[in-house]
Amino acid sequence: TTWLIIDNDNRIYRSLDREHWHIVRLSASEDSPRISKLDFVGGMWIAVTVYSDGFYYSLDAKNWKQGHYPDVPSYEFTSTEEIVFFNGQWLWRFKERKEYSYIEKGIIFDSTETNSYDKIAIFSTANLENHWQRWEHTPSFPEGVVVESLQPLPGGNTLLAFCKYDWLYTSSKKKNNVTSFVSYYIHGKGWRTCTWASENDYYDRS
């Protein structure tokens, strides 16, 4: 068993017995990247960093490599900390800025305004050493839907997307009858929406 500790200066310490600890470096740089999340996924250690460093990965938590970042414009796409392994593929959830228009009621004249919400974008790769590509099974949800989390179920056959409508979108569009929901993906069957036992059972992380 490998144990890892991160101190307040973003230094990582590794131990095999929890008694003897040795510092490990994610990169050759003197400054340690700022880590936002450390996880063990699909037999791989994943250290997600802040800003544009992306993430680092390691099989033994001793020798680390920096992963590639998808070739997308930073003003339209924002990465999240969620890197998961599903059905033989690595998936990385991003937020894609998506504009929408709405009517603003005025005393004399109405006006057309624009705003934006974070649409889900998923990138995939079969190997973390390779470059990321758009996942062909990225869900196409209705306008205004944002994904709070993307998680595979144990066993690797089902992928869950926890969804809700963007608050500003529902306010601007005057949509008061929308609720949070969970969608799931099964390979070969596509995306479907979960059905709950009653209308009062729905996902809401707000």
Side-chain angles (χ1 to χ4, degrees):
T1 301
T2 301
W3 300 84
L4 296 180
I5 290 178
I6 304 176
D7 67 13
N8 291 332
D9 294 320
N10 285 284
R11 288 187 293 258
I12 298 180
Y13 296 87
R14 178 181 181 271
S15 175
L16 298 178
D17 57 11
R18 290 182 292 176
E19 293 185 6
H20 303 87
W21 295 87
H22 304 280
I23 191 170
V24 296
R25 294 185 179 277
L26 297 183
S27 67
S29 173
E30 290 293 329
D31 297 326
S32 299
R34 184 179 174 186
I35 300 172
S36 61
K37 182 181 181 182
L38 181 64
D39 206 354
F40 189 70
V41 181
M44 192 80 67
W45 288 96
I46 304 288
V48 182
T49 60
V50 179
Y51 308 121
S52 60
D53 282 338
F55 70 97
Y56 293 79
Y57 63 96
S58 174
L59 278 171
D60 57 8
K62 184 178 180 180
N63 302 291
W64 294 82
K65 294 182 179 180
Q66 186 173 9
H68 295 284
Y69 200 87
D71 185 18
V72 292
S74 59
Y75 60 87
E76 291 184 5
F77 293 84
T78 304
S79 63
T80 73
E81 298 176 345
E82 288 186 351
I83 299 176
V84 302
F85 190 72
F86 172 72
N87 196 35
Q89 292 279 316
W90 292 94
L91 304 181
W92 192 356
R93 180 172 69 88
F94 272 64
K95 299 176 182 179
E96 180 181 2
R97 184 178 180 272
K98 188 71 174 179
E99 287 192 348
Y100 62 90
S101 60
Y102 64 96
I103 303 299
E104 184 72 31
K105 296 291 184 179
I107 298 177
I108 301 177
F109 300 105
D110 297 341
S111 60
T112 300
E113 306 292 339
T114 59
N115 214 321
S116 64
Y117 70 97
D118 292 326
K119 178 183 176 181
I120 185 175
I122 303 176
F123 294 87
S124 69
T125 183
N127 191 312
L128 292 177
E129 294 184 357
N130 298 338
H131 291 277
W132 296 85
Q133 304 292 333
R134 281 268 198 168
W135 190 41
E136 60 180 340
H137 303 296
T138 299
S140 180
F141 293 130
E143 184 181 72
V145 170
V146 298
V147 174
E148 295 265 277
S149 183
L150 188 72
Q151 299 295 332
L153 288 180
N157 296 323
T158 306
L159 186 67
L160 300 181
F162 296 85
C163 311
K164 64 188 297 185
Y165 278 84
D166 179 76
W167 178 85
L168 189 57
Y169 176 88
T170 58
S171 177
S172 301
K173 290 281 194 174
K174 305 297 188 293
K175 291 182 177 290
N176 301 318
N177 59 343
V178 295
T179 60
S180 305
F181 62 95
V182 178
S183 282
Y184 64 97
Y185 173 82
I186 299 178
H187 182 67
K189 297 183 179 180
W191 287 91
R192 302 179 181 181
T193 300
C194 294
T195 56
W196 306 111
S198 75
E199 294 181 356
N200 292 325
D201 295 331
Y202 62 88
Y203 166 75
D204 194 348
R205 291 182 60 179
S206 60

